[in-house]
């Protein structure tokens, strides 16, 4: 896995520029709280409290309010082989500091100390990030915070809406913001790339975000 991440990071070094031309500590899962049927939540930090987290159906989607950072998922939302995962995130107010939200893919052992997933986030300053979590105490940065014109910035009221998409398949994996590709990793360059697993949502600290159109579809 370390070799995989190192290779991804090398491939990613040129990705932001190419894409523009194409116009913590992890805590144990916390089962408390009222979640929609079938949903699970995991706090980033072991010393955090789920009391500051709300995730509920609203307006045909889901509304997330966080104190601590969390991931949210349903076991049924699994992507294997050729698939496309997407969701639209509407930030309703500005956080005190730039905080991010987005999708994760390839989720495995999410309720254990061996949790593993790759995540694609954006934030209100128009930047995106791609990282990999490998177990409770380790994360690897694949693409560090990078500004991209495709990522919508928050307005004067702190509102922003971004549709994020991840497409995976035999070719590898690509990441899109509002229909524009911002990064891509090809399996020919990274033969051990793993994208199969649970797809879910990640919402970082102190955010108020509405999620709509969340779907995982075969391609």
């Amino acid at each position: 896995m370390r070799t995989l991440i190192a290779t991804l990071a090398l491939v990613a070094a040129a990705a932001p520029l190419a894409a523009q031309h194409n116009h913590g500590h992890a805590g144990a899962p916390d089962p408390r709280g009222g979640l929609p049927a079938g949903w699970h939540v995991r706090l980033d930090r072991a010393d955090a409290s789920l009391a500051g987290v709300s995730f509920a159906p609203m307006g045909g989607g889901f509304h997330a309010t966080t104190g601590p950072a969390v991931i949210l998922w349903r076991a049924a939302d699994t992507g294997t082989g050729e698939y496309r995962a997407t969701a639209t995130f509407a930030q309703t107010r500005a956080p005190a500091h730039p905080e991010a939200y987005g999708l994760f893919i390839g989720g495995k052992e999410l309720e254990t100390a061996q949790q593993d997933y790759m995540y694609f986030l954006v934030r209100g300053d128009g930047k995106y990030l791609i990282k990999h979590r490998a177990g409770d105490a380790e994360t690897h940065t694949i693409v560090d915070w990078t500004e991209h014109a495709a990522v919508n910035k928050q307005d004067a009221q702190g509102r922003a809406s971004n549709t994020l998409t991840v497409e995976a398949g035999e070719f590898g994996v690509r990441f899109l913001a509002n229909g524009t590709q911002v990064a891509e990793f090809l399996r020919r360059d990274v033969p051990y790339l793993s994208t199969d697993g649970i797809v879910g949502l990640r919402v970082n600290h102190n955010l108020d975000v509405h999620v709509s159109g969340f779907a995982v579809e075969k391609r």
Side-chain angles (χ1 to χ4, degrees):
M1 183 59 74
R2 289 179 181 275
T3 301
L4 165 62
I5 298 302
T7 306
L8 280 173
L10 287 172
V11 173
L17 180 59
Q20 289 172 28
H21 287 319
N22 292 329
H23 294 270
H25 300 284
D30 191 334
R32 297 172 299 163
L35 291 174
W39 283 90
H40 303 267
V41 61
R42 179 164 187 154
L43 299 155
D44 251 21
R45 298 183 62 93
D47 59 355
S49 169
L50 197 61
V53 176
S54 171
F55 184 68
M58 183 182 294
F62 300 93
H63 199 88
T65 304
T66 59
V70 296
I71 58 171
L72 298 142
W73 75 93
R74 296 178 294 204
D77 294 320
T78 299
T80 58
E82 303 271 342
Y83 71 89
R84 180 177 185 269
T86 189
T88 297
F89 299 83
Q91 178 181 297
T92 64
R93 64 171 185 256
H97 306 285
E99 292 292 350
Y101 48 84
L103 294 168
F104 74 81
I105 66 166
K108 302 173 181 67
E109 300 193 60
L110 296 177
E111 297 182 288
T112 77
Q114 286 73 49
Q115 59 171 325
D116 189 288
Y117 58 90
M118 185 181 297
Y119 52 109
F120 172 40
L121 308 182
V122 297
R123 66 188 190 190
D125 59 1
K127 295 181 179 181
Y128 77 94
L129 169 83
I130 302 171
K131 293 186 75 170
H132 170 247
R133 176 170 288 286
D136 275 4
E138 192 170 354
T139 60
H140 309 114
T141 299
I142 300 169
V143 179
D144 208 348
W145 287 113
T146 301
E147 187 167 359
H148 197 288
V151 180
N152 293 325
K153 296 182 179 181
Q154 66 190 39
D155 63 16
Q157 287 72 46
R159 298 172 301 196
S161 180
N162 285 284
T163 298
L164 302 186
T165 303
V166 181
E167 296 177 345
E170 291 185 5
F171 71 93
V173 61
R174 62 177 63 101
F175 303 86
L176 300 92
N178 301 306
T180 297
Q181 180 177 307
V182 299
E184 180 180 57
F185 304 107
L186 302 179
R187 206 171 294 277
R188 70 184 182 216
D189 299 322
V190 193
Y192 302 109
L193 180 65
S194 175
T195 55
D196 288 355
I198 291 173
V199 176
L201 312 172
R202 181 174 174 89
V203 184
N204 280 3
H205 310 275
N206 302 318
L207 282 167
D208 193 89
V209 176
H210 187 77
V211 183
S212 60
F214 174 54
V216 183
E217 303 168 332
K218 295 295 289 185
R219 296 175 64 238

